[in-house]
């Protein structure tokens, strides 16, 4: 099968465009990765030619010998739909999880996203603890989420509570909450370690003054999670613009969340519930 005919490739390309249309991918902002299933690799591997090995910049032993579809560094997600072969690539991780080889794509040269260490370390965590086969890691520069990192305390529980309160569907969509990490230099091992630790515990991770990482078992689920969080952030930005931080007239209370959890059979993050109003 031709690479561009594979369903997962089409869905990957589609998510890049959907995110771009949302305004989350100015210039080369944001990136996407997918851990390719064995049978999917089999169906397209006749098209692969392997380049030299390069360092990942971290170790992902549990992903050794696996294949990934990733966006290219410096590539504009806006262009992925029209020029996929120039802007995305398939890589293979080596035996000991320290290096990768490009085996398809980026046909004018280049390398995978600078956030490859964060993507692969997150993919490793979700592979380890995956109940429903999460294989997608998506990083976007969501405007309202970023705006909130300038006015809310950079505390995972407070961020989660504030976003849960903004729409009744939020605790249903992200019951484990959202992790927040303070500003760090992007593109390296340190931020990858900090993010992947958060992915053990939370549904999504916010990078202060930068953007957000989400995971998903389908492309729709990853996009839907980002969209839900960004929408509740937009509502909160509007509420703060009208009323100021932490000065709502009324909100969804702890008692309301407990009631919701009972009826929707949710296990809500206890640390967040404890600080609800
Ligand atoms: P890349 O172009 O290397 O993917 O970087 C974009 C980005 O958002 C960095 O955090
Ligand atoms: Zn970024």
């Amino acid at each position: 099968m031709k690479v561009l005919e594979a369903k997962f490739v089409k869905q990957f390309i589609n998510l890049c465009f959907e995110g771009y249309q949302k305004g989350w991918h100015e210039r080369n902002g944001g990136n996407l990765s997918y851990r390719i299933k064995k049978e999917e690799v089999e169906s397209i591997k006749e098209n692969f030619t392997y380049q030299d090995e390069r360092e990942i910049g971290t170790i992902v032993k549990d992903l050794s010998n696996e294949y990934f579809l990733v966006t290219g560094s410096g590539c504009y997600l806006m262009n992925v739909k029209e020029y996929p072969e120039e802007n995305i690539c398939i890589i293979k991780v080596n035996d000991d999880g320290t290096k990768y080889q490009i085996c398809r794509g980026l046909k004018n040269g280049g390398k995978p996203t600078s956030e490859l260490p964060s993507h692969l370390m997150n993919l490793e965590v979700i592979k380890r603890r995956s109940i429903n086969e999460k294989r997608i890691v998506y990083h976007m520069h969501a405007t309202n989420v970023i705006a909130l990192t300038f006015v809310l305390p950079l505390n995972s529980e407070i961020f989660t509570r504030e976003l849960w309160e903004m729409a009744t569907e939020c605790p249903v969509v992200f019951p484990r909450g959202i992790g927040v990490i303070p500003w760090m230099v992007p593109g390296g091992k340190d931020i990858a370690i900090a993010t992947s630790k958060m992915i053990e515990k939370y549904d999504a991770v916010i990078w202060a003054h930068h953007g957000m990482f989400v995971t998903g078992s389908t492309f729709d689920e990853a996009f839907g999670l980002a969209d839900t969080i960004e929408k509740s952030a937009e509502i909160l930005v509007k509420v703060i613009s009208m009323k100021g931080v932490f000065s709502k007239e009324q909100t969804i209370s702890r008692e309301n969340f407990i009631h919701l959890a009972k009826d929707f059979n949710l296990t809500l993050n206890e640390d967040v519930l404890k600080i609800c109003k």
Side-chain angles (χ1 to χ4, degrees):
M1 191 198 300
K2 286 188 179 141
V3 175
L4 294 178
E5 284 170 5
K7 190 172 174 196
F8 73 92
V9 178
K10 289 182 184 165
Q11 290 174 323
F12 183 102
I13 292 169
N14 190 48
L15 196 160
C16 291
F17 197 68
E18 277 185 305
Y20 164 67
Q21 285 181 313
K22 282 279 181 187
W24 300 341
H25 302 300
E26 76 292 343
R27 202 173 181 277
N28 63 310
N31 24 71
L32 177 62
S33 62
Y34 172 70
R35 183 165 67 87
I36 309 174
K37 293 177 186 163
K38 280 202 175 65
E39 61 273 22
E40 290 169 334
V41 172
E42 286 303 316
S43 70
I44 55 167
K45 73 173 189 205
E46 66 203 28
N47 305 290
F48 293 175
T49 46
Y50 292 79
Q51 298 181 13
D52 292 342
E53 283 191 338
R54 300 184 204 181
E55 298 287 337
I56 295 171
T58 189
I59 305 173
V60 282
K61 187 84 187 73
D62 289 351
L63 300 180
S64 58
N65 297 311
E66 293 216 47
Y67 289 79
F68 302 85
L69 179 58
V70 296
T71 50
S73 185
C75 294
Y76 292 24
L77 267 63
M78 163 182 87
N79 293 331
V80 167
K81 193 172 185 174
E82 198 159 356
Y83 306 107
E85 294 275 16
E86 281 98 322
N87 291 292
I88 62 179
C89 65
I90 292 173
I91 59 168
K92 183 187 184 200
V93 170
N94 73 345
D95 270 348
D96 65 4
T98 58
K99 297 190 177 73
Y100 70 88
Q101 286 172 284
I102 295 177
C103 46
R104 179 77 202 198
L106 287 179
K107 71 174 191 196
N108 298 335
K111 55 182 181 151
T113 171
S114 57
E115 305 297 358
L116 191 64
S118 283
H119 279 269
L120 292 181
M121 289 192 81
N122 289 338
L123 284 163
E124 192 181 36
V125 168
I126 57 179
K127 179 184 176 186
R128 223 183 291 129
R129 68 160 182 78
S130 212
I131 310 152
N132 53 353
E133 274 283 279
K134 288 193 184 211
R135 294 177 167 271
I136 295 149
V137 172
Y138 179 33
H139 167 58
M140 77 300 306
H141 295 176
T143 315
N144 293 286
V145 166
I146 298 169
L148 290 176
T149 65
F150 294 90
V151 297
L152 290 186
L154 298 177
N155 171 292
S156 305
E157 279 66 49
I158 294 176
F159 244 88
T160 302
R161 180 193 66 197
E162 294 298 307
L163 292 174
W164 274 4
E165 284 181 9
M166 288 304 107
T168 303
E169 67 164 333
C170 286
V172 181
V173 176
F174 49 96
R176 299 188 325 136
I178 298 171
V180 181
I181 59 177
W183 186 89
M184 291 179 76
V185 177
K189 187 176 176 179
D190 291 347
I191 199 164
I193 292 171
T195 310
S196 59
K197 268 193 198 139
M198 289 278 187
I199 285 290
E200 301 263 6
K201 183 169 174 204
Y202 299 103
D203 293 306
V205 177
I206 292 172
W207 284 1
H209 323 322
H210 182 143
M212 179 164 66
F213 269 84
V214 299
T215 64
S217 38
T218 64
F219 290 94
D220 281 349
E221 189 185 275
F223 181 80
L225 177 56
D227 199 16
T228 306
I229 296 170
E230 170 60 4
K231 177 156 187 172
S232 66
E234 183 181 348
I235 300 169
L236 185 52
V237 166
K238 290 180 180 179
V239 171
I240 291 171
S241 309
M242 292 183 286
K243 294 291 287 182
V245 186
F246 305 136
S247 53
K248 300 163 211 128
E249 288 293 325
Q250 54 277 318
T251 188
I252 304 174
S253 67
R254 184 191 300 120
E255 209 177 302
N256 295 150
F257 285 128
I258 291 169
H259 196 169
L260 185 76
K262 190 162 170 273
D263 281 13
F264 280 70
N265 202 16
L266 303 169
T267 310
L268 293 180
N269 184 317
E270 287 287 340
D271 293 332
V272 180
L273 272 184
K274 257 184 236 154
I275 61 155
C276 286
K277 311 261 160 88

